[in-house]
mmCIF file of all heavy atoms in Angstrom:
data_model
loop_
_atom_site.group_PDB
_atom_site.id
_atom_site.type_symbol
_atom_site.label_atom_id
_atom_site.label_comp_id
_atom_site.label_asym_id
_atom_site.label_seq_id
_atom_site.Cartn_x
_atom_site.Cartn_y
_atom_site.Cartn_z
ATOM 1 N N MET I 231 55.765 100.043 -9.034
ATOM 2 C CA MET I 231 54.577 100.677 -9.709
ATOM 3 C C MET I 231 53.537 99.598 -10.185
ATOM 4 O O MET I 231 54.007 98.571 -10.713
ATOM 5 C CB MET I 231 55.128 101.545 -10.898
ATOM 6 C CG MET I 231 54.057 102.120 -11.788
ATOM 7 S SD MET I 231 54.805 102.736 -13.413
ATOM 8 C CE MET I 231 55.453 104.344 -12.858
ATOM 9 N N LYS I 232 52.345 99.883 -10.036
ATOM 10 C CA LYS I 232 51.293 99.052 -10.572
ATOM 11 C C LYS I 232 50.476 99.820 -11.646
ATOM 12 O O LYS I 232 50.323 100.948 -11.578
ATOM 13 C CB LYS I 232 50.343 98.551 -9.480
ATOM 14 C CG LYS I 232 50.949 97.635 -8.459
ATOM 15 C CD LYS I 232 49.987 97.090 -7.460
ATOM 16 C CE LYS I 232 50.582 96.273 -6.325
ATOM 17 N NZ LYS I 232 51.462 95.129 -6.823
ATOM 18 N N ALA I 233 49.968 99.050 -12.587
ATOM 19 C CA ALA I 233 49.188 99.691 -13.646
ATOM 20 C C ALA I 233 47.789 99.045 -13.671
ATOM 21 O O ALA I 233 47.664 97.849 -13.395
ATOM 22 C CB ALA I 233 49.874 99.546 -15.009
ATOM 23 N N ASN I 234 46.772 99.818 -13.988
ATOM 24 C CA ASN I 234 45.458 99.308 -13.971
ATOM 25 C C ASN I 234 44.693 99.980 -15.130
ATOM 26 O O ASN I 234 44.776 101.156 -15.401
ATOM 27 C CB ASN I 234 44.782 99.555 -12.719
ATOM 28 C CG ASN I 234 43.347 98.877 -12.708
ATOM 29 O OD1 ASN I 234 43.247 97.709 -12.777
ATOM 30 N ND2 ASN I 234 42.346 99.821 -12.601
ATOM 31 N N VAL I 235 43.907 99.128 -15.942
ATOM 32 C CA VAL I 235 43.022 99.689 -16.986
ATOM 33 C C VAL I 235 41.642 99.594 -16.523
ATOM 34 O O VAL I 235 41.153 98.560 -16.092
ATOM 35 C CB VAL I 235 43.266 98.786 -18.301
ATOM 36 C CG1 VAL I 235 42.289 99.359 -19.353
ATOM 37 C CG2 VAL I 235 44.729 98.849 -18.781
ATOM 38 N N ASN I 236 41.011 100.688 -16.554
ATOM 39 C CA ASN I 236 39.589 100.775 -16.193
ATOM 40 C C ASN I 236 38.758 100.243 -17.399
ATOM 41 O O ASN I 236 38.652 100.866 -18.418
ATOM 42 C CB ASN I 236 39.177 102.199 -15.834
ATOM 43 C CG ASN I 236 37.753 102.282 -15.440
ATOM 44 O OD1 ASN I 236 36.968 101.436 -15.582
ATOM 45 N ND2 ASN I 236 37.426 103.452 -14.719
ATOM 46 N N PRO I 237 38.102 99.063 -17.193
ATOM 47 C CA PRO I 237 37.341 98.438 -18.240
ATOM 48 C C PRO I 237 36.075 99.332 -18.660
ATOM 49 O O PRO I 237 35.534 99.133 -19.690
ATOM 50 C CB PRO I 237 36.933 97.110 -17.689
ATOM 51 C CG PRO I 237 37.003 97.275 -16.235
ATOM 52 C CD PRO I 237 37.957 98.296 -15.967
ATOM 53 N N ASP I 238 35.693 100.201 -17.779
ATOM 54 C CA ASP I 238 34.517 101.042 -18.017
ATOM 55 C C ASP I 238 34.793 102.218 -19.027
ATOM 56 O O ASP I 238 33.890 102.723 -19.636
ATOM 57 C CB ASP I 238 33.899 101.594 -16.771
ATOM 58 C CG ASP I 238 33.320 100.512 -15.897
ATOM 59 O OD1 ASP I 238 32.858 99.444 -16.414
ATOM 60 O OD2 ASP I 238 33.382 100.657 -14.592
ATOM 61 N N THR I 239 36.053 102.523 -19.083
ATOM 62 C CA THR I 239 36.434 103.704 -19.864
ATOM 63 C C THR I 239 37.340 103.322 -21.072
ATOM 64 O O THR I 239 37.363 104.071 -22.024
ATOM 65 C CB THR I 239 37.090 104.782 -19.097
ATOM 66 O OG1 THR I 239 38.158 104.260 -18.186
ATOM 67 C CG2 THR I 239 36.084 105.518 -18.138
ATOM 68 N N CYS I 240 38.038 102.212 -20.960
ATOM 69 C CA CYS I 240 38.864 101.781 -22.102
ATOM 70 C C CYS I 240 37.995 101.576 -23.394
ATOM 71 O O CYS I 240 36.909 100.920 -23.237
ATOM 72 C CB CYS I 240 39.669 100.448 -21.781
ATOM 73 S SG CYS I 240 40.508 99.770 -23.134
ATOM 74 N N ILE I 241 38.451 102.142 -24.512
ATOM 75 C CA ILE I 241 37.646 101.898 -25.756
ATOM 76 C C ILE I 241 38.363 101.009 -26.707
ATOM 77 O O ILE I 241 38.012 100.957 -27.898
ATOM 78 C CB ILE I 241 37.345 103.236 -26.423
ATOM 79 C CG1 ILE I 241 38.626 104.087 -26.645
ATOM 80 C CG2 ILE I 241 36.351 104.100 -25.594
ATOM 81 C CD1 ILE I 241 38.484 105.312 -27.562
ATOM 82 N N GLY I 242 39.450 100.354 -26.271
ATOM 83 C CA GLY I 242 40.183 99.369 -27.058
ATOM 84 C C GLY I 242 40.923 99.997 -28.222
ATOM 85 O O GLY I 242 41.033 99.360 -29.291
ATOM 86 N N CYS I 243 41.464 101.155 -28.017
ATOM 87 C CA CYS I 243 42.163 101.846 -29.122
ATOM 88 C C CYS I 243 43.487 101.272 -29.426
ATOM 89 O O CYS I 243 44.159 101.492 -30.449
ATOM 90 C CB CYS I 243 42.358 103.338 -28.887
ATOM 91 S SG CYS I 243 43.681 103.723 -27.761
ATOM 92 N N GLU I 244 44.054 100.448 -28.499
ATOM 93 C CA GLU I 244 45.268 99.721 -28.653
ATOM 94 C C GLU I 244 46.525 100.574 -28.595
ATOM 95 O O GLU I 244 47.646 100.063 -28.858
ATOM 96 C CB GLU I 244 45.293 98.917 -29.994
ATOM 97 C CG GLU I 244 44.165 97.894 -30.006
ATOM 98 C CD GLU I 244 44.290 96.884 -31.181
ATOM 99 O OE1 GLU I 244 45.377 96.609 -31.685
ATOM 100 O OE2 GLU I 244 43.300 96.291 -31.537
ATOM 101 N N LEU I 245 46.454 101.863 -28.267
ATOM 102 C CA LEU I 245 47.554 102.638 -28.136
ATOM 103 C C LEU I 245 48.571 102.110 -27.090
ATOM 104 O O LEU I 245 49.724 101.996 -27.312
ATOM 105 C CB LEU I 245 47.232 104.048 -27.833
ATOM 106 C CG LEU I 245 48.315 105.159 -27.720
ATOM 107 C CD1 LEU I 245 47.744 106.489 -28.186
ATOM 108 C CD2 LEU I 245 48.791 105.208 -26.269
ATOM 109 N N CYS I 246 48.042 101.779 -25.914
ATOM 110 C CA CYS I 246 48.921 101.374 -24.830
ATOM 111 C C CYS I 246 49.577 100.028 -25.156
ATOM 112 O O CYS I 246 50.793 99.845 -24.788
ATOM 113 C CB CYS I 246 48.048 101.233 -23.564
ATOM 114 S SG CYS I 246 46.661 100.101 -23.689
ATOM 115 N N THR I 247 48.946 99.161 -25.927
ATOM 116 C CA THR I 247 49.601 97.906 -26.255
ATOM 117 C C THR I 247 50.715 98.046 -27.217
ATOM 118 O O THR I 247 51.608 97.236 -27.308
ATOM 119 C CB THR I 247 48.523 96.870 -26.725
ATOM 120 O OG1 THR I 247 47.872 97.370 -27.852
ATOM 121 C CG2 THR I 247 47.521 96.560 -25.604
ATOM 122 N N SER I 248 50.610 99.061 -28.095
ATOM 123 C CA SER I 248 51.759 99.342 -28.931
ATOM 124 C C SER I 248 52.823 100.101 -28.313
ATOM 125 O O SER I 248 53.980 99.894 -28.556
ATOM 126 C CB SER I 248 51.286 99.959 -30.364
ATOM 127 O OG SER I 248 50.238 100.846 -30.167
ATOM 128 N N VAL I 249 52.507 101.025 -27.471
ATOM 129 C CA VAL I 249 53.496 101.865 -26.768
ATOM 130 C C VAL I 249 54.207 101.022 -25.759
ATOM 131 O O VAL I 249 55.461 101.148 -25.558
ATOM 132 C CB VAL I 249 52.798 103.118 -26.190
ATOM 133 C CG1 VAL I 249 53.863 103.730 -25.114
ATOM 134 C CG2 VAL I 249 52.406 104.044 -27.188
ATOM 135 N N CYS I 250 53.546 100.070 -25.083
ATOM 136 C CA CYS I 250 54.103 99.389 -23.884
ATOM 137 C C CYS I 250 53.597 97.985 -23.862
ATOM 138 O O CYS I 250 52.875 97.565 -22.920
ATOM 139 C CB CYS I 250 53.758 100.143 -22.709
ATOM 140 S SG CYS I 250 54.851 99.842 -21.297
ATOM 141 N N PRO I 251 54.064 97.113 -24.815
ATOM 142 C CA PRO I 251 53.539 95.805 -24.955
ATOM 143 C C PRO I 251 53.977 94.885 -23.725
ATOM 144 O O PRO I 251 53.377 93.821 -23.570
ATOM 145 C CB PRO I 251 54.167 95.252 -26.272
ATOM 146 C CG PRO I 251 55.328 96.109 -26.557
ATOM 147 C CD PRO I 251 54.953 97.453 -25.914
ATOM 148 N N ASP I 252 54.992 95.276 -22.989
ATOM 149 C CA ASP I 252 55.449 94.479 -21.893
ATOM 150 C C ASP I 252 54.460 94.498 -20.745
ATOM 151 O O ASP I 252 54.464 93.748 -19.745
ATOM 152 C CB ASP I 252 56.832 94.871 -21.420
ATOM 153 C CG ASP I 252 57.966 94.445 -22.435
ATOM 154 O OD1 ASP I 252 57.654 93.569 -23.265
ATOM 155 O OD2 ASP I 252 59.040 94.966 -22.290
ATOM 156 N N VAL I 253 53.618 95.618 -20.813
ATOM 157 C CA VAL I 253 52.668 95.795 -19.648
ATOM 158 C C VAL I 253 51.232 95.623 -19.981
ATOM 159 O O VAL I 253 50.409 95.120 -19.249
ATOM 160 C CB VAL I 253 52.881 97.247 -19.088
ATOM 161 C CG1 VAL I 253 51.904 97.506 -17.919
ATOM 162 C CG2 VAL I 253 54.349 97.376 -18.592
ATOM 163 N N PHE I 254 50.901 95.999 -21.272
ATOM 164 C CA PHE I 254 49.508 95.982 -21.613
ATOM 165 C C PHE I 254 49.295 95.039 -22.813
ATOM 166 O O PHE I 254 50.095 94.948 -23.758
ATOM 167 C CB PHE I 254 49.029 97.387 -22.105
ATOM 168 C CG PHE I 254 49.214 98.392 -21.053
ATOM 169 C CD1 PHE I 254 50.324 99.277 -21.021
ATOM 170 C CD2 PHE I 254 48.317 98.462 -19.885
ATOM 171 C CE1 PHE I 254 50.432 100.200 -20.017
ATOM 172 C CE2 PHE I 254 48.481 99.449 -18.907
ATOM 173 C CZ PHE I 254 49.537 100.288 -18.982
ATOM 174 N N LYS I 255 48.152 94.363 -22.742
ATOM 175 C CA LYS I 255 47.799 93.331 -23.790
ATOM 176 C C LYS I 255 46.323 93.478 -24.075
ATOM 177 O O LYS I 255 45.528 93.601 -23.182
ATOM 178 C CB LYS I 255 48.191 91.979 -23.297
ATOM 179 C CG LYS I 255 48.064 90.820 -24.314
ATOM 180 C CD LYS I 255 48.648 89.530 -23.721
ATOM 181 C CE LYS I 255 48.576 88.393 -24.668
ATOM 182 N NZ LYS I 255 47.272 87.830 -24.794
ATOM 183 N N MET I 256 45.976 93.309 -25.423
ATOM 184 C CA MET I 256 44.586 93.233 -25.743
ATOM 185 C C MET I 256 44.070 91.833 -25.480
ATOM 186 O O MET I 256 44.702 90.883 -25.769
ATOM 187 C CB MET I 256 44.312 93.502 -27.234
ATOM 188 C CG MET I 256 44.856 94.909 -27.730
ATOM 189 S SD MET I 256 44.111 96.331 -26.822
ATOM 190 C CE MET I 256 42.340 96.124 -27.209
ATOM 191 N N GLU I 257 42.891 91.759 -24.777
ATOM 192 C CA GLU I 257 42.301 90.459 -24.497
ATOM 193 C C GLU I 257 41.004 90.298 -25.358
ATOM 194 O O GLU I 257 40.639 91.086 -26.057
ATOM 195 C CB GLU I 257 42.020 90.395 -23.024
ATOM 196 C CG GLU I 257 43.211 90.559 -22.100
ATOM 197 C CD GLU I 257 44.130 89.291 -21.982
ATOM 198 O OE1 GLU I 257 43.862 88.348 -22.760
ATOM 199 O OE2 GLU I 257 45.054 89.306 -21.127
ATOM 200 N N ASP I 258 40.447 89.059 -25.238
ATOM 201 C CA ASP I 258 39.271 88.695 -25.984
ATOM 202 C C ASP I 258 38.056 89.598 -25.834
ATOM 203 O O ASP I 258 37.263 89.669 -26.707
ATOM 204 C CB ASP I 258 38.910 87.327 -25.682
ATOM 205 C CG ASP I 258 39.936 86.279 -26.224
ATOM 206 O OD1 ASP I 258 40.731 86.617 -27.070
ATOM 207 O OD2 ASP I 258 39.876 85.068 -25.736
ATOM 208 N N ASP I 259 38.067 90.306 -24.690
ATOM 209 C CA ASP I 259 36.951 91.299 -24.548
ATOM 210 C C ASP I 259 37.136 92.622 -25.289
ATOM 211 O O ASP I 259 36.273 93.409 -25.225
ATOM 212 C CB ASP I 259 36.786 91.594 -22.985
ATOM 213 C CG ASP I 259 38.052 92.184 -22.405
ATOM 214 O OD1 ASP I 259 38.994 92.483 -23.112
ATOM 215 O OD2 ASP I 259 37.998 92.425 -21.092
ATOM 216 N N GLY I 260 38.230 92.698 -25.996
ATOM 217 C CA GLY I 260 38.480 93.922 -26.853
ATOM 218 C C GLY I 260 39.003 95.038 -26.092
ATOM 219 O O GLY I 260 39.065 96.150 -26.644
ATOM 220 N N LEU I 261 39.397 94.750 -24.871
ATOM 221 C CA LEU I 261 39.977 95.851 -24.027
ATOM 222 C C LEU I 261 41.330 95.495 -23.644
ATOM 223 O O LEU I 261 41.843 94.371 -23.694
ATOM 224 C CB LEU I 261 39.136 95.927 -22.738
ATOM 225 C CG LEU I 261 37.629 96.206 -22.949
ATOM 226 C CD1 LEU I 261 36.925 96.267 -21.492
ATOM 227 C CD2 LEU I 261 37.411 97.540 -23.659
ATOM 228 N N ALA I 262 42.169 96.551 -23.328
ATOM 229 C CA ALA I 262 43.566 96.357 -22.853
ATOM 230 C C ALA I 262 43.466 95.868 -21.382
ATOM 231 O O ALA I 262 42.577 96.310 -20.601
ATOM 232 C CB ALA I 262 44.281 97.560 -23.002
ATOM 233 N N HIS I 263 44.474 94.999 -21.020
ATOM 234 C CA HIS I 263 44.596 94.604 -19.640
ATOM 235 C C HIS I 263 46.076 94.744 -19.286
ATOM 236 O O HIS I 263 46.900 94.534 -20.068
ATOM 237 C CB HIS I 263 44.115 93.189 -19.523
ATOM 238 C CG HIS I 263 42.628 92.938 -19.707
ATOM 239 N ND1 HIS I 263 41.804 92.897 -18.616
ATOM 240 C CD2 HIS I 263 41.930 92.920 -20.773
ATOM 241 C CE1 HIS I 263 40.535 92.773 -19.112
ATOM 242 N NE2 HIS I 263 40.597 92.767 -20.434
ATOM 243 N N CYS I 264 46.215 95.007 -18.049
ATOM 244 C CA CYS I 264 47.660 94.894 -17.518
ATOM 245 C C CYS I 264 48.002 93.532 -17.298
ATOM 246 O O CYS I 264 47.242 92.755 -16.624
ATOM 247 C CB CYS I 264 47.702 95.777 -16.166
ATOM 248 S SG CYS I 264 49.360 95.678 -15.435
ATOM 249 N N ILE I 265 49.108 93.079 -17.796
ATOM 250 C CA ILE I 265 49.532 91.719 -17.688
ATOM 251 C C ILE I 265 50.600 91.462 -16.705
ATOM 252 O O ILE I 265 51.191 90.377 -16.637
ATOM 253 C CB ILE I 265 49.980 91.214 -19.089
ATOM 254 C CG1 ILE I 265 50.965 92.043 -19.712
ATOM 255 C CG2 ILE I 265 48.788 91.060 -20.004
ATOM 256 C CD1 ILE I 265 51.639 91.439 -20.934
ATOM 257 N N VAL I 266 51.024 92.474 -15.898
ATOM 258 C CA VAL I 266 52.067 92.356 -14.935
ATOM 259 C C VAL I 266 51.531 92.723 -13.557
ATOM 260 O O VAL I 266 50.604 93.657 -13.494
ATOM 261 C CB VAL I 266 53.341 93.022 -15.243
ATOM 262 C CG1 VAL I 266 53.978 92.401 -16.574
ATOM 263 C CG2 VAL I 266 53.115 94.548 -15.450
ATOM 264 N N ASP I 267 52.007 92.118 -12.507
ATOM 265 C CA ASP I 267 51.723 92.555 -11.186
ATOM 266 C C ASP I 267 52.360 93.803 -10.831
ATOM 267 O O ASP I 267 51.770 94.843 -10.330
ATOM 268 C CB ASP I 267 52.162 91.459 -10.204
ATOM 269 C CG ASP I 267 51.067 90.899 -9.317
ATOM 270 O OD1 ASP I 267 49.844 91.212 -9.686
ATOM 271 O OD2 ASP I 267 51.265 90.168 -8.394
ATOM 272 N N GLU I 268 53.709 93.835 -11.146
ATOM 273 C CA GLU I 268 54.419 95.051 -10.882
ATOM 274 C C GLU I 268 55.057 95.429 -12.260
ATOM 275 O O GLU I 268 55.558 94.626 -12.950
ATOM 276 C CB GLU I 268 55.586 94.754 -9.989
ATOM 277 C CG GLU I 268 55.317 94.812 -8.474
ATOM 278 C CD GLU I 268 55.117 96.219 -7.946
ATOM 279 O OE1 GLU I 268 55.723 97.198 -8.438
ATOM 280 O OE2 GLU I 268 54.230 96.411 -7.071
ATOM 281 N N VAL I 269 54.991 96.806 -12.558
ATOM 282 C CA VAL I 269 55.587 97.274 -13.834
ATOM 283 C C VAL I 269 57.095 97.095 -13.724
ATOM 284 O O VAL I 269 57.662 97.653 -12.763
ATOM 285 C CB VAL I 269 55.142 98.714 -14.093
ATOM 286 C CG1 VAL I 269 55.912 99.222 -15.308
ATOM 287 C CG2 VAL I 269 53.657 98.757 -14.237
ATOM 288 N N PRO I 270 57.715 96.340 -14.623
ATOM 289 C CA PRO I 270 59.174 96.236 -14.564
ATOM 290 C C PRO I 270 59.835 97.676 -14.714
ATOM 291 O O PRO I 270 59.398 98.501 -15.328
ATOM 292 C CB PRO I 270 59.586 95.380 -15.753
ATOM 293 C CG PRO I 270 58.279 94.797 -16.228
ATOM 294 C CD PRO I 270 57.147 95.684 -15.757
ATOM 295 N N THR I 271 61.001 97.724 -14.052
ATOM 296 C CA THR I 271 61.830 98.992 -14.109
ATOM 297 C C THR I 271 61.924 99.465 -15.469
ATOM 298 O O THR I 271 61.750 100.720 -15.806
ATOM 299 C CB THR I 271 63.144 98.833 -13.420
ATOM 300 O OG1 THR I 271 62.924 98.306 -12.118
ATOM 301 C CG2 THR I 271 63.893 100.156 -13.366
ATOM 302 N N ASN I 272 62.299 98.653 -16.367
ATOM 303 C CA ASN I 272 62.566 99.135 -17.813
ATOM 304 C C ASN I 272 61.282 99.450 -18.521
ATOM 305 O O ASN I 272 61.427 99.792 -19.709
ATOM 306 C CB ASN I 272 63.459 98.059 -18.517
ATOM 307 C CG ASN I 272 62.744 96.735 -18.776
ATOM 308 O OD1 ASN I 272 61.579 96.528 -18.266
ATOM 309 N ND2 ASN I 272 63.428 95.822 -19.358
ATOM 310 N N ALA I 273 60.152 99.207 -17.955
ATOM 311 C CA ALA I 273 58.931 99.488 -18.676
ATOM 312 C C ALA I 273 58.156 100.644 -18.051
ATOM 313 O O ALA I 273 57.049 101.048 -18.482
ATOM 314 C CB ALA I 273 58.010 98.304 -18.820
ATOM 315 N N LYS I 274 58.764 101.228 -16.961
ATOM 316 C CA LYS I 274 58.041 102.341 -16.340
ATOM 317 C C LYS I 274 57.755 103.514 -17.245
ATOM 318 O O LYS I 274 56.693 104.098 -17.121
ATOM 319 C CB LYS I 274 58.795 102.764 -15.047
ATOM 320 C CG LYS I 274 58.678 101.763 -13.884
ATOM 321 C CD LYS I 274 59.372 102.284 -12.615
ATOM 322 C CE LYS I 274 59.175 101.274 -11.508
ATOM 323 N NZ LYS I 274 59.892 101.519 -10.333
ATOM 324 N N ALA I 275 58.792 103.897 -18.049
ATOM 325 C CA ALA I 275 58.645 105.033 -18.871
ATOM 326 C C ALA I 275 57.529 104.852 -19.858
ATOM 327 O O ALA I 275 56.718 105.761 -20.071
ATOM 328 C CB ALA I 275 59.987 105.356 -19.582
ATOM 329 N N CYS I 276 57.510 103.634 -20.473
ATOM 330 C CA CYS I 276 56.379 103.430 -21.493
ATOM 331 C C CYS I 276 55.078 103.317 -20.894
ATOM 332 O O CYS I 276 54.026 103.661 -21.457
ATOM 333 C CB CYS I 276 56.762 102.253 -22.419
ATOM 334 S SG CYS I 276 56.656 100.665 -21.737
ATOM 335 N N ALA I 277 55.061 102.764 -19.664
ATOM 336 C CA ALA I 277 53.733 102.684 -18.964
ATOM 337 C C ALA I 277 53.193 104.145 -18.665
ATOM 338 O O ALA I 277 52.045 104.353 -18.840
ATOM 339 C CB ALA I 277 53.890 101.946 -17.672
ATOM 340 N N GLN I 278 54.084 105.004 -18.263
ATOM 341 C CA GLN I 278 53.724 106.381 -18.044
ATOM 342 C C GLN I 278 53.293 106.975 -19.346
ATOM 343 O O GLN I 278 52.241 107.757 -19.339
ATOM 344 C CB GLN I 278 54.938 107.149 -17.461
ATOM 345 C CG GLN I 278 54.639 108.543 -16.999
ATOM 346 C CD GLN I 278 53.610 108.622 -15.831
ATOM 347 O OE1 GLN I 278 53.946 108.050 -14.757
ATOM 348 N NE2 GLN I 278 52.506 109.246 -16.000
ATOM 349 N N GLU I 279 53.997 106.713 -20.379
ATOM 350 C CA GLU I 279 53.606 107.298 -21.659
ATOM 351 C C GLU I 279 52.271 106.874 -22.065
ATOM 352 O O GLU I 279 51.425 107.637 -22.583
ATOM 353 C CB GLU I 279 54.643 106.982 -22.690
ATOM 354 C CG GLU I 279 54.379 107.665 -24.060
ATOM 355 C CD GLU I 279 55.399 107.201 -25.145
ATOM 356 O OE1 GLU I 279 56.481 106.626 -24.824
ATOM 357 O OE2 GLU I 279 55.083 107.430 -26.340
ATOM 358 N N ALA I 280 51.982 105.567 -21.898
ATOM 359 C CA ALA I 280 50.680 104.961 -22.193
ATOM 360 C C ALA I 280 49.624 105.676 -21.462
ATOM 361 O O ALA I 280 48.520 105.934 -21.991
ATOM 362 C CB ALA I 280 50.686 103.434 -22.019
ATOM 363 N N SER I 281 49.833 105.789 -20.145
ATOM 364 C CA SER I 281 48.836 106.469 -19.344
ATOM 365 C C SER I 281 48.593 107.852 -19.719
ATOM 366 O O SER I 281 47.454 108.298 -19.851
ATOM 367 C CB SER I 281 49.288 106.328 -17.808
ATOM 368 O OG SER I 281 48.437 107.055 -16.970
ATOM 369 N N ASP I 282 49.665 108.652 -20.020
ATOM 370 C CA ASP I 282 49.516 110.009 -20.421
ATOM 371 C C ASP I 282 48.772 110.117 -21.778
ATOM 372 O O ASP I 282 48.092 111.106 -22.090
ATOM 373 C CB ASP I 282 50.892 110.698 -20.569
ATOM 374 C CG ASP I 282 51.554 110.852 -19.213
ATOM 375 O OD1 ASP I 282 50.849 110.740 -18.199
ATOM 376 O OD2 ASP I 282 52.777 111.131 -19.245
ATOM 377 N N SER I 283 48.975 109.086 -22.660
ATOM 378 C CA SER I 283 48.489 109.273 -24.036
ATOM 379 C C SER I 283 47.147 108.511 -24.243
ATOM 380 O O SER I 283 46.464 108.833 -25.241
ATOM 381 C CB SER I 283 49.510 108.544 -24.948
ATOM 382 O OG SER I 283 50.766 109.045 -24.809
ATOM 383 N N CYS I 284 46.657 107.750 -23.316
ATOM 384 C CA CYS I 284 45.333 107.055 -23.479
ATOM 385 C C CYS I 284 44.285 108.052 -23.729
ATOM 386 O O CYS I 284 44.131 109.062 -22.906
ATOM 387 C CB CYS I 284 45.003 106.210 -22.309
ATOM 388 S SG CYS I 284 43.406 105.577 -22.340
ATOM 389 N N PRO I 285 43.517 108.005 -24.772
ATOM 390 C CA PRO I 285 42.572 108.937 -25.182
ATOM 391 C C PRO I 285 41.397 109.173 -24.106
ATOM 392 O O PRO I 285 40.776 110.234 -24.056
ATOM 393 C CB PRO I 285 41.991 108.542 -26.486
ATOM 394 C CG PRO I 285 42.376 107.129 -26.624
ATOM 395 C CD PRO I 285 43.616 106.923 -25.767
ATOM 396 N N THR I 286 41.122 108.099 -23.338
ATOM 397 C CA THR I 286 40.050 108.196 -22.311
ATOM 398 C C THR I 286 40.641 108.169 -20.940
ATOM 399 O O THR I 286 39.826 107.967 -20.000
ATOM 400 C CB THR I 286 39.155 106.992 -22.508
ATOM 401 O OG1 THR I 286 39.739 105.681 -22.295
ATOM 402 C CG2 THR I 286 38.486 106.989 -23.918
ATOM 403 N N SER I 287 41.978 108.372 -20.763
ATOM 404 C CA SER I 287 42.465 108.342 -19.409
ATOM 405 C C SER I 287 42.119 107.113 -18.685
ATOM 406 O O SER I 287 41.862 107.230 -17.428
ATOM 407 C CB SER I 287 42.133 109.631 -18.664
ATOM 408 O OG SER I 287 42.651 110.745 -19.348
ATOM 409 N N ALA I 288 42.094 105.936 -19.330
ATOM 410 C CA ALA I 288 41.666 104.722 -18.622
ATOM 411 C C ALA I 288 42.725 104.068 -17.850
ATOM 412 O O ALA I 288 42.402 103.127 -17.021
ATOM 413 C CB ALA I 288 41.130 103.800 -19.735
ATOM 414 N N ILE I 289 44.005 104.491 -17.967
ATOM 415 C CA ILE I 289 45.040 103.783 -17.322
ATOM 416 C C ILE I 289 45.546 104.589 -16.078
ATOM 417 O O ILE I 289 45.864 105.740 -16.186
ATOM 418 C CB ILE I 289 46.341 103.666 -18.248
ATOM 419 C CG1 ILE I 289 45.973 102.880 -19.465
ATOM 420 C CG2 ILE I 289 47.551 103.017 -17.559
ATOM 421 C CD1 ILE I 289 47.018 102.874 -20.566
ATOM 422 N N SER I 290 45.425 103.886 -14.939
ATOM 423 C CA SER I 290 46.016 104.566 -13.745
ATOM 424 C C SER I 290 47.259 103.803 -13.277
ATOM 425 O O SER I 290 47.339 102.556 -13.416
ATOM 426 C CB SER I 290 44.908 104.506 -12.616
ATOM 427 O OG SER I 290 44.437 103.207 -12.433
ATOM 428 N N LEU I 291 48.161 104.649 -12.736
ATOM 429 C CA LEU I 291 49.436 104.035 -12.245
ATOM 430 C C LEU I 291 49.480 104.330 -10.740
ATOM 431 O O LEU I 291 48.998 105.437 -10.282
ATOM 432 C CB LEU I 291 50.584 104.667 -12.924
ATOM 433 C CG LEU I 291 50.620 104.489 -14.448
ATOM 434 C CD1 LEU I 291 51.773 105.380 -15.056
ATOM 435 C CD2 LEU I 291 50.790 103.063 -14.846
ATOM 436 N N SER I 292 49.996 103.389 -9.973
ATOM 437 C CA SER I 292 50.022 103.678 -8.530
ATOM 438 C C SER I 292 51.398 103.028 -7.959
ATOM 439 O O SER I 292 51.939 102.305 -8.660
ATOM 440 C CB SER I 292 48.933 103.037 -7.779
ATOM 441 O OG SER I 292 48.736 101.768 -8.078
HETATM 442 FE FE1 F3S U 165 42.183 101.303 -23.779
HETATM 443 FE FE2 F3S U 165 43.489 103.484 -23.363
HETATM 444 FE FE3 F3S U 165 44.778 101.413 -23.967
HETATM 445 S S1 F3S U 165 41.536 103.310 -24.456
HETATM 446 S S2 F3S U 165 43.400 100.226 -25.269
HETATM 447 S S3 F3S U 165 43.576 101.772 -22.162
HETATM 448 S S4 F3S U 165 45.286 103.346 -24.612
#
């Protein structure tokens, strides 16, 4: 599984980085970024939760 944050729609609410810090990190641009190439097995559930909960649906999983 790969995760991607759309910089055009992320509003920097930080929800994903608190729900799933192993996958998402706030960067200097004030937006969340995916920090892994592949989502680790033990972080798939929280990545899904972050994607489902993001207020602007900025996170896509593939
Ligand atoms: Fe941005 Fe959504 Fe995360 S708005 S900070 S990608 S929860």
Side-chain angles (χ1 to χ4, degrees):
M231 177 193 276
K232 291 186 186 305
N234 184 62
V235 177
N236 183 341
D238 294 330
T239 49
C240 173
I241 55 170
C243 78
E244 301 190 23
L245 182 147
C246 56
T247 57
S248 35
V249 167
C250 201
D252 289 344
V253 176
F254 302 103
K255 185 173 183 282
M256 299 306 294
E257 300 283 8
D258 290 344
D259 59 5
L261 305 176
H263 291 261
C264 177
I265 52 170
V266 293
D267 239 11
E268 278 287 327
V269 175
T271 304
N272 63 359
K274 284 183 178 173
C276 72
Q278 185 67 57
E279 186 185 344
S281 176
D282 292 344
S283 308
C284 173
T286 62
S287 302
I289 300 170
S290 55
L291 302 173
S292 55

